Amino acid sequence: MRILGISAHYHDSAAALLVDGEVVAAAQEERFSRVKHDRALPLAAARFCLGQGGLSADELDAIAYYEKPFHKFDRLVAGFLAEAPRGLGRFVTAVPRWLGARLWVRAELQAALDTDVPVCFLQHHESHAAAAFGPSPFDEAAVLTIDGVGEWTTNGLWHARGSGLAPLLEIRYPDSIGLLYSAFTAYCGFRVNDGEYKLMGLAPYGEPRHVSRILDHLLELKADGSYRLNPEHFAYRSREAMTTAAFHRLFGGPPCRPGTPPGRREADLARSIQAVTEEVLLRQARTARARTGSRALCLAGGVALNCVANGRLARERIADELWIQPAAGDAGGALGAAYALWFRQARPGRTARDHDAQHGSLLGPEFRDDEVEEALVAAGLDFTRPGRAELVGDTAAALAAGEVVGWFQGRMEYGPRALGNRSILADPRDPGMQSRVNLRVKFRESFRPFAPVVLERRAADWFTLPAPASPYMLLTGAVKNARPLAEPAAHLGRSPGIAATGSPLPAVTHVDGSARVQTLAAGANPLLEELLERFAAATGCPALLNTSFNRKDEPIVCTPRDAVACFLATDIDRLVIGGYVARRAPDRPAPPPAPRPVAPPATRRASLAAAGAVAAFLVLGLVLRARVAGGVALGVGLTVAAGHLLAPALTRRLETGLGAVLRLVAHVAVTPLLVLVFALGFVPAGLLGRRRRRARAAETCWEPPELADHDPRRPY
């Protein structure tokens, strides 16, 4: 069975190809478009995946979309109703975007790929759960899915056995540990959906002074890991901001301005929310073990990229075995949607295996030697083409001598981490290397740490790891002999990188003595393994600093041209790309960096028909059900369902035509009409139906799952 998985329209859109349960290819659209966190329909990524599999779109059995658009729209409308008369601005900007593209995914995908292959819709958290369990080495496992929000679910507990994913419990919007962490991300001056890992890196500089304040005022945390948020402190239901004035008063003032270097307050807040997140994860893992009886645990969702929390979870040994999806965020939803549909339709047999099926997450494109040489010649670079032994030996010697190396080999990584094929490598023993790479290569904040890649068989000599292996750089461990700094916050804002004292690897050691370790198993990446062996022979150290091959606010490089451009615009000394080596000429200044692509502003795809549809759906909902948002979804769902049952071909053409009409009239001024609909429909309905949120005295906030056995043919 050949399934193309797609995630799109929110952030980190991606495509993945699954053939008879085997992962053939997967990639994020940002790597092709060069727009960081690109949310556009991933056409370039999809075409790459099809090409890698030697397929045309018509040869697919299905296209799997990672969520239910109409069910998500139901949540959006419910939020407007619950908050009205607040939220007008968000309503005016969001509704045209939804009615113009996001609700018509089936037609959009079929038109873009020029195919009539059926499009199937999986639940957002089902996609996460399948992404976690599908490639894992287990035949049975408990699965935790934790992110900001999908359709309604923000946190799910699943029991996976064979090819079945059974939902057991869930927490629903607006309660979300992912959104809570993002609220602190925004409050500390970082960008939501991009800066969460910066907040995690900032945490060791602070003290957990605000944990009790968070638990007393923001989060009602239960013994089983479930929770409720206090809505008074959060603004994301009604506007684009994350926090309210009440939140600001609680923590001593307005948010840190974006671009302002973080101080002690921000460090203490980062450490506090990190501690709370870890406690939530630990309690949920215990609940997962108790409810499923499983010795194995899988994780996915954006929160699963928190490697500090993952490291603590592994150290606590709540589960005997742990597997975390390396593309745990929305990008991984593309692979998860394909796996989820395969589980539902193929019902394959499954046995435990001694490896994961994600192939080191090296699932992206690779390039021929002639393509590499063409990029080097076009840039006017002097280069050589040594044999393999000389290439590896010279690179190891250059690293030992203090050079920074751009390393471009084989297939590109899928997910946010560079795992040895699109990497910048350096000597981790050099005390000044962390500062140099941060400030002169990556052009990013000096407080942010780097990760080491180390030969797995020698990792225990240098690190105290919570698990025998960490192939995807998703666990933190302690660097042996490293002692945490006594006053780490005092070093914030200093240009030189500051590591824990006594560390034998200062360039990859954080201020608390930890490191986010990637272990390299024998045979997993032969060329990188050979390089580590040669570096170890020359220096006695089997590890290298490994960071993604990109600059701040740019995606990881994909093509040889991307790699050459990044090399020329940074202080990288040597580019090892395929079998070629290029060095920076000492008398040749780096050219000014090319302007970075910017995501195009969202087109306002709305019209009189769109505004009328909002009003019609609202009226239909009021007539059909007391819960207005549910009625909206029901009304739209019944209409679409009837069309697909009675005249599927006609419905597809109608969706395509309606999408085209909405694009054609994109410049019609519909804002006054939307304001009128909001004022006459949403405000009265919201005021009449509003009920204040009451704190519950129950021992749990987990709820039974909704839509446990939905029809993937329908987008609702």
Side-chain angles (χ1 to χ4, degrees), residues 81-84 86 231 237 626-628 685-695:
L81 285 165
E83 296 297 318
R86 293 178 296 180
R237 293 187 73 179
R627 181 184 170 195
V628 179
L687 292 175
L688 289 172
R690 178 174 298 167
R691 294 180 177 87
R692 290 195 175 275
R693 184 185 178 93
R694 293 192 179 99

Side-chain angles (χ1 to χ4, degrees), residues 83-339:
E83 296 297 318
R86 293 178 296 180
L88 172 61
R90 190 166 176 233
F91 175 84
V92 169
T93 57
V95 168
R97 190 161 59 235
W98 273 89
L99 293 179
R102 293 185 179 181
L103 290 180
W104 317 109
V105 172
R106 175 184 282 110
E108 185 183 28
L109 280 169
Q110 290 174 329
L113 296 174
D114 191 22
T115 183
D116 287 328
V117 167
V119 178
C120 299
F121 298 87
L122 289 304
Q123 290 172 281
H124 187 101
H125 275 253
E126 182 183 11
S127 295
H128 277 321
F133 178 65
S136 77
F138 312 133
D139 60 350
E140 180 270 341
V143 182
L144 282 172
T145 57
I146 318 171
D147 66 2
V149 60
E151 294 89 357
W152 280 95
T153 306
T154 64
N155 210 163
L157 170 58
W158 306 69
H159 193 189
R161 283 176 288 194
S163 62
L165 282 170
L168 302 180
L169 299 168
E170 68 181 20
I171 296 172
R172 298 178 193 139
Y173 181 87
D175 300 312
S176 168
I177 194 66
L179 290 175
L180 176 65
Y181 201 91
S182 291
F184 278 88
T185 298
Y187 188 70
C188 290
F190 305 123
R191 191 166 60 228
V192 172
N193 293 325
D194 177 67
E196 283 78 4
Y197 55 91
K198 299 181 186 179
L199 194 72
M200 181 181 67
L202 179 63
Y205 285 91
E207 298 293 333
R209 294 188 173 94
H210 303 291
V211 169
S212 60
R213 190 170 297 175
I214 293 171
L215 295 176
D216 289 343
H217 297 278
L218 301 185
L219 185 75
E220 179 190 356
L221 180 60
K222 303 292 186 178
D224 60 2
S226 61
Y227 51 81
R228 295 194 188 281
L229 301 188
N230 182 348
E232 176 188 355
H233 294 84
F234 303 99
Y236 52 77
R237 293 187 73 179
S238 59
R239 50 194 176 94
E240 297 298 331
M242 295 297 297
T243 54
T244 65
F247 187 105
H248 306 163
R249 288 193 298 270
L250 190 62
F251 296 109
C256 181
R257 295 182 61 185
T260 303
R264 184 180 295 271
R265 180 187 73 155
E266 287 72 35
D268 289 344
L269 288 168
R271 179 69 178 274
S272 300
I273 190 57
Q274 179 65 36
V276 170
T277 302
E278 291 173 19
E279 185 60 31
V280 170
L281 190 59
L282 289 173
R283 295 187 187 189
Q284 291 194 0
R286 293 188 186 101
T287 298
R289 180 69 181 257
R291 285 295 300 260
T292 65
S294 177
R295 63 180 182 83
L297 176 65
C298 297
L299 296 178
V303 177
L305 291 172
N306 191 309
C307 59
V308 178
N310 296 340
R312 186 176 172 195
L313 179 60
R315 286 193 300 274
E316 294 283 342
R317 297 286 190 269
I318 297 169
D320 298 336
E321 297 181 274
L322 180 67
W323 197 87
I324 305 162
Q325 167 56 238
D330 274 15
L335 180 60
Y339 262 118

Side-chain angles (χ1 to χ4, degrees), residues 489-708:
H491 298 285
L492 275 173
R494 296 188 184 181
S495 293
I498 304 293
T501 57
S503 172
L505 305 172
V508 295
T509 306
H510 210 4
V511 293
D512 60 351
S514 71
R516 174 166 45 93
V517 181
Q518 177 195 357
T519 57
L520 189 67
N525 189 328
L527 191 64
L528 182 60
E529 182 182 358
E530 189 176 340
L531 178 64
L532 286 167
E533 295 278 11
R534 295 293 293 270
F535 185 76
T539 66
C541 174
L544 288 169
L545 180 155
N546 176 22
T547 187
S548 56
F549 198 159
N550 65 330
R551 293 181 295 168
K552 178 186 177 184
D553 297 328
E554 288 184 349
I556 295 174
V557 300
C558 175
T559 68
R561 287 184 179 272
D562 298 336
V564 168
C566 188
F567 169 64
L568 291 173
T570 64
D571 197 30
I572 296 173
D573 299 298
R574 178 182 300 235
L575 175 63
V576 182
I577 178 168
Y580 299 84
V581 178
R583 299 175 183 85
R584 185 178 302 285
D587 58 344
R588 184 175 187 168
R596 300 177 184 178
V598 178
T603 306
R604 298 187 59 127
R605 302 184 181 108
S607 64
L608 291 172
V614 175
F617 292 161
L618 175 63
V619 172
L620 184 59
L622 287 169
V623 171
L624 290 175
R625 288 178 60 179
R627 181 184 170 195
V628 179
V632 172
L634 180 62
V636 174
L638 288 173
T639 303
V640 177
H644 282 290
L645 288 173
L646 299 176
L650 177 61
T651 305
R652 283 197 297 272
R653 286 196 294 271
L654 181 62
E655 286 183 0
T656 304
L658 182 56
V661 169
L662 292 172
R663 287 171 175 80
L664 184 63
V665 295
H667 298 291
V668 175
V670 298
T671 298
L673 292 169
L674 291 175
V675 171
L676 188 64
V677 168
F678 189 83
L680 298 181
F682 281 76
V683 172
L687 292 175
L688 289 172
R690 178 174 298 167
R691 294 180 177 87
R692 290 195 175 275
R693 184 185 178 93
R694 293 192 179 99
R696 299 183 186 178
E699 294 181 358
T700 183
C701 302
W702 290 110
E703 300 183 60
E706 290 184 343
L707 297 179

Side-chain angles (χ1 to χ4, degrees), residues 234-512:
F234 303 99
Y236 52 77
R237 293 187 73 179
S238 59
R239 50 194 176 94
E240 297 298 331
M242 295 297 297
T243 54
T244 65
F247 187 105
H248 306 163
R249 288 193 298 270
L250 190 62
F251 296 109
C256 181
R257 295 182 61 185
T260 303
R264 184 180 295 271
R265 180 187 73 155
E266 287 72 35
D268 289 344
L269 288 168
R271 179 69 178 274
S272 300
I273 190 57
Q274 179 65 36
V276 170
T277 302
E278 291 173 19
E279 185 60 31
V280 170
L281 190 59
L282 289 173
R283 295 187 187 189
Q284 291 194 0
R286 293 188 186 101
T287 298
R289 180 69 181 257
R291 285 295 300 260
T292 65
S294 177
R295 63 180 182 83
L297 176 65
C298 297
L299 296 178
V303 177
L305 291 172
N306 191 309
C307 59
V308 178
N310 296 340
R312 186 176 172 195
L313 179 60
R315 286 193 300 274
E316 294 283 342
R317 297 286 190 269
I318 297 169
D320 298 336
E321 297 181 274
L322 180 67
W323 197 87
I324 305 162
Q325 167 56 238
D330 274 15
L335 180 60
Y339 262 118
L341 187 62
W342 186 60
F343 287 156
R344 279 179 172 268
Q345 295 194 349
R347 294 293 177 187
R350 181 183 172 94
T351 57
R353 48 182 177 256
D354 60 1
H355 66 284
D356 70 64
Q358 196 140 331
H359 310 296
S361 217
L362 304 177
L363 301 170
E366 59 184 334
F367 298 87
R368 302 184 309 272
D369 285 347
D370 62 305
E371 294 173 295
V372 172
E373 186 168 337
E374 181 184 349
L376 293 168
V377 170
L381 287 172
D382 296 325
F383 58 89
T384 59
R385 190 179 183 183
R388 176 176 174 133
E390 184 183 352
L391 180 145
V392 173
D394 287 353
T395 303
L399 288 163
E403 289 192 17
V404 177
V405 173
W407 183 259
F408 183 106
Q409 303 292 332
R411 296 186 67 174
M412 181 183 68
E413 296 88 342
Y414 174 51
R417 312 290 188 208
L419 300 169
N421 279 11
R422 300 291 187 274
S423 292
I424 295 171
L425 304 176
D427 187 348
R429 304 166 304 147
D430 184 344
M433 191 58 74
Q434 189 259 8
S435 175
R436 179 188 169 191
V437 176
N438 260 335
L439 301 180
R440 297 171 59 188
V441 176
K442 303 284 282 188
F443 304 110
R444 68 183 198 180
E445 301 86 353
S446 62
F447 68 83
R448 290 171 58 186
F450 290 108
V453 56
V454 61
L455 293 169
E456 186 178 298
R457 61 183 176 81
R458 297 190 60 184
D461 299 334
W462 295 80
F463 304 96
T464 302
L465 293 175
S470 176
Y472 294 121
M473 209 185 286
L474 286 169
L475 301 174
T476 55
V479 181
K480 289 193 171 181
N481 300 319
R483 300 185 304 278
L485 291 181
E487 280 290 332
H491 298 285
L492 275 173
R494 296 188 184 181
S495 293
I498 304 293
T501 57
S503 172
L505 305 172
V508 295
T509 306
H510 210 4
V511 293
D512 60 351

